[in-house]
Amino acid sequence: MKKDKHGVNLFELQRKYNFDVDEVMDFSSNVNPIGPSKKALQYLRENLDQASVYPDPEYVDLLKEISNYTHANPEHILLGSGTTNLIKDFIHYVNPKRALLNSPCYSEYENELNLIGSEVFHYNLDYHRNFTVSVDEVIEIIQKNSIELYVITNPNNPTGTILNRVDIERIVEATNIPILIDETYIEFTDRSVYSCSAFAATNPNIFVVRSTSKFFATPGIRLGYAITSNQKVLDSMGKNFSLWGINIFAEMMGKVMFSDETYKAVTYNHIQREKDKMISALETVEQLKVFPSYGNFVLVKIKDRSATAKELREFLLPRKIVIRDCSNFKNLDERFFRFCILSKEANDLLIQGVYEFFGK
Ligand SMILES: Cc1ncc(COP(=O)(O)O)c(C=O)c1O
C-alpha cells in the first residue's frame, strides 16, 4: 500500500485519537467544504442499483459532459482514475531523461520521475518573490539543460501562485518540449484567463490534467481527465486505459456535477469570500507571513524562530483541527504550514486557534 505523504490520513487519526472522521476539521486536504453537488448525489442515490451494471466502455455521455464543461473536443479527452494516474501515465509515456519541476510542488511528479530514472531539475521558487515563476529563467534552464519535460501546476500547490496563459504560451513556444499542466485547482480562479485547455487543442506539446477531487469535492470516486490534441499521446494512453477503468458511480456523478451551475457559483463565491477573510485575519499576527493564493488553500510562514509548523499542528490537533505541516516539501522548511478554506465556522475556529497559539 502507498503511504500517505499528502494531507492527513483521517482513518489513521481515527485509529490513533479515537476521533470520529466526520468531526475532524481537515484543513490539509484542499477539498471543497460544501461537499459534492447535491444534484449529483441525488442522482447517485436514485441509481444505486446500477452497481450491478457495467459502465459504458466508451463513456460517451461522460465525455460529452466534460466536453461541454471544458469546451474540449471529446476526442481530445482522456479519462483517468484520479489525476494522479494520468500524471503517472503521461510521465511514463514521455519518459524524459531530464525533467524540470517548480519547487515546491505536489510530490507525485517527482515520485514518478524517480521510478523511471529521470534526472529531476528543480527551479527553486523564492519566497522573497512570493514564489512567482520568472518565464525567462525557466526558458533558460530548459534550454541550458536540454530538459525534455516541464511540469507546471496551475495554481501551484502549496504556494498558491499561478502563471497566466500568455506566459505559458511563451514558454511553450520558446522551448518546444512536452509540458504537463496540472489544473487540479483551476476552478478556484478565473478559468478564462488562466486555463490552458483551449491551448491544448492547438498545441500538441500541451497535456492538461484536471481533477474532480478538490473543487467538486469527490476524492473518493477517483475521477480525473486530461486534455491533449497530441494524437500519439491519445493513441498510446487510450490503448492503455483499462476496460471499464472508471466505475459506474464516478461516471454517474460526472454526468451531473459538471453542469450544476448553482453549485459551482456557490463554491467559488464561498471560497473567495472566506479566503479573503482568513488572509486578512492572519496577516494581523505579527509572527506570520501569509502568501497570496489563487487556490482554495493558503501557505503561511512563521517568521521568527519562536515556533514550528509541527508545534502549531500539534497545538490544534486536540481541537480536531488539522493543518498541513509543509516541512517535507522541497524548498520549504519546518516553519511553513498550509491550510485550505473550510466552512465559515471551522475557519473562525482555526483563526481563533492560531491567535491563541501566538498569544494574540
Ligand atoms: C496539484 C495536485 N494534483 C493532483 C492531485 C491529486 O488529484 P487526484 O485526487 O485527482 O488524484 C493533488 C492532490 O492533492 C494535487 O494537489
Side-chain angles (χ1 to χ4, degrees):
M1 295 291 258
K2 276 217 164 180
K3 280 274 185 206
D4 176 70
K5 288 178 270 112
H6 301 277
V8 68
N9 181 341
L10 290 178
F11 301 100
E12 193 179 337
L13 267 194
Q14 184 180 34
R15 287 189 292 268
K16 201 163 159 189
Y17 295 97
N18 224 358
F19 285 168
D20 184 339
V21 166
D22 295 332
E23 289 173 4
V24 175
M25 287 168 269
D26 179 10
F27 286 90
S28 74
S29 298
N30 299 345
V31 174
N32 169 8
I34 292 169
S37 146
K38 299 273 178 300
K39 274 192 193 165
L41 285 179
Q42 189 180 340
Y43 182 67
L44 192 64
R45 269 186 220 106
E46 285 165 4
N47 291 282
L48 279 176
D49 56 354
Q50 298 283 312
S52 61
V53 176
Y54 280 101
D56 169 9
E58 306 291 330
Y59 295 101
V60 173
D61 291 342
L62 177 58
L63 288 171
K64 202 154 77 192
E65 281 300 321
I66 297 175
S67 165
N68 287 341
Y69 176 56
T70 59
H71 307 297
N73 178 341
E75 288 179 3
H76 290 169
I77 300 170
L78 291 162
L79 297 173
S81 172
T83 312
T84 305
N85 261 320
L86 290 160
I87 292 169
K88 169 172 154 234
D89 291 349
F90 184 66
I91 286 177
H92 285 241
Y93 169 83
V94 177
N95 195 17
K97 285 201 195 69
R98 287 167 299 278
L100 178 65
L101 303 177
N102 297 323
S103 277
C105 67
Y106 181 55
S107 58
E108 286 304 312
Y109 321 118
E110 183 158 15
N111 292 341
E112 291 306 330
L113 289 161
N114 286 338
L115 282 178
I116 56 172
S118 299
E119 187 180 352
V120 180
F121 289 68
H122 294 273
Y123 172 56
N124 288 330
L125 304 176
D126 183 351
Y127 78 85
H128 297 291
R129 294 197 323 208
N130 277 354
F131 299 103
T132 50
V133 168
S134 152
V135 171
D136 291 327
E137 284 171 10
V138 164
I139 293 173
E140 196 187 329
I141 297 173
I142 292 176
Q143 292 175 337
K144 250 198 189 149
N145 299 287
S146 306
I147 298 293
E148 293 177 351
L149 172 69
Y150 177 43
V151 180
I152 300 172
T153 318
N154 224 31
N156 188 35
N157 171 20
T159 60
T161 44
I162 200 159
L163 270 172
N164 65 45
R165 204 170 37 228
V166 178
D167 285 341
I168 295 178
E169 281 172 10
R170 206 146 76 72
I171 297 172
V172 172
E173 267 141 37
T175 61
N176 196 27
I177 60 165
I179 303 207
L180 166 59
I181 305 176
D182 183 342
E183 294 192 349
T184 286
Y185 298 98
I186 201 77
E187 282 100 343
F188 297 106
T189 73
D190 183 349
R191 283 192 293 151
S192 65
V193 178
Y194 297 106
S195 173
C196 282
S197 61
F199 188 25
T202 56
N203 192 307
N205 275 326
I206 303 283
F207 187 81
V208 171
V209 287
R210 292 269 191 89
S211 175
T212 62
S213 298
K214 311 299 184 178
F215 186 87
F216 290 99
T218 55
I221 64 171
R222 311 304 306 133
L223 177 63
Y225 55 95
I227 304 171
T228 181
S229 57
N230 187 314
Q231 201 52 50
K232 283 192 188 148
V233 175
L234 288 164
D235 289 346
S236 168
M237 286 181 59
K239 217 166 46 206
N240 289 329
F241 179 69
S242 315
L243 182 61
W244 304 303
I246 305 298
N247 72 64
I248 200 143
F249 301 120
E251 185 192 20
M252 275 190 226
M253 291 195 79
K255 283 199 289 198
V256 179
M257 65 192 181
F258 293 114
S259 59
D260 188 344
E261 300 302 331
T262 312
Y263 169 78
K264 288 187 286 184
V266 168
T267 294
Y268 183 86
N269 293 332
H270 172 79
I271 300 292
Q272 302 309 320
R273 194 174 51 241
E274 286 294 307
K275 183 169 64 178
D276 288 348
K277 177 188 88 179
M278 294 199 74
I279 289 178
S280 303
L282 295 186
E283 274 175 347
T284 65
V285 180
E286 215 183 303
Q287 296 93 327
L288 300 179
K289 157 98 178 123
V290 186
F291 295 93
S293 171
Y294 287 84
N296 63 330
F297 51 83
V298 178
L299 183 67
V300 185
K301 181 178 196 297
I302 302 172
K303 283 191 287 192
D304 59 25
R305 304 263 161 199
S306 62
T308 63
K310 182 166 180 255
E311 286 162 355
L312 174 61
R313 186 179 188 274
E314 277 162 14
F315 176 81
L316 295 170
L317 259 182
R319 302 168 184 225
K320 300 185 176 151
I321 291 176
V322 185
I323 57 165
R324 176 71 153 90
D325 165 6
C326 290
S327 53
N328 69 347
F329 276 96
K330 278 224 161 63
N331 202 25
L332 295 183
D333 61 29
E334 70 286 353
R335 285 179 297 145
F336 286 88
F337 67 92
R338 188 195 69 202
F339 65 87
C340 66
I341 308 304
L342 295 184
S343 68
K344 180 186 176 305
E345 295 70 30
N347 297 336
D348 290 342
L349 287 172
L350 175 60
I351 293 170
Q352 199 185 318
V354 173
Y355 280 2
E356 276 179 41
F357 182 79
F358 287 104
K360 187 176 154 66

